[in-house]
Amino acid sequence: EVQLVESGGGLVQPGESLRLSCAASGFTFSTYSMSWVRQAPGKGLEWLSAISGGGGLIYYADSVKGRFTISRDNAKNTLYLQLNSLKSEDTAMYYCARGPTLEVGQLRGQGTQVTVSS
């Protein structure tokens, strides 16, 4: 079965960090660019970051540049997102997605909730 499964979310205080993981299965992970997107309460999907299949090309949205770091381990079929210096406005459901950009009908996981609150 082709699927993506995110984990690692939780409740943290402002300024703290989290590391999200996305386990991929059912397809040749290393041949796909991957991305992270999020959806805050009452808002649309926001693209955050993308990484090429080999990991050599990385892109970030301005809103997270310098605070979030995307990476991947193709041997483990796993995508990561390190979230540092978290702010309340980072509260959202975070999804990993197959492909470098937001696309209608793309493969995404079920999401992992990140809540930043004091």
Side-chain angles (χ1 to χ4, degrees), residues 86-105:
L86 282 161
K87 308 174 183 180
S88 58
E89 52 263 45
D90 294 317
T91 294
M93 186 71 78
Y94 285 69
Y95 302 90
C96 61
R98 189 171 68 178
T101 61
L102 274 173
E103 301 168 10
V104 175

Side-chain angles (χ1 to χ4, degrees), residues 5-12 17-23 36-38 48 68-72 78-84 86 90 92-96 111-115:
V5 179
E6 301 93 337
S7 61
L11 171 63
V12 296
S17 298
L18 280 174
R19 189 193 196 200
L20 308 184
S21 298
C22 169
W36 286 95
V37 303
R38 69 184 178 187
L48 300 177
F68 292 6
T69 302
I70 193 171
S71 62
R72 66 192 296 160
T78 303
L79 178 73
Y80 302 100
L81 188 67
Q82 177 70 38
L83 288 63
N84 295 332
L86 282 161
D90 294 317
M93 186 71 78
Y94 285 69
Y95 302 90
C96 61
T112 187
Q113 178 67 40
V114 172
T115 302

Side-chain angles (χ1 to χ4, degrees), residues 14-31:
E16 293 187 338
S17 298
L18 280 174
R19 189 193 196 200
L20 308 184
S21 298
C22 169
S25 60
F27 63 98
T28 307
F29 179 69
S30 63
T31 65

Side-chain angles (χ1 to χ4, degrees), residues 43-81:
K43 297 189 177 182
L45 285 168
E46 177 189 12
W47 175 88
L48 300 177
S49 182
I51 186 168
S52 60
L57 295 174
I58 289 175
Y59 306 92
Y60 295 102
D62 288 343
S63 58
V64 304
K65 195 175 296 182
R67 298 190 300 122
F68 292 6
T69 302
I70 193 171
S71 62
R72 66 192 296 160
D73 185 337
N74 286 341
K76 296 182 178 180
N77 289 346
T78 303
L79 178 73
Y80 302 100
L81 188 67

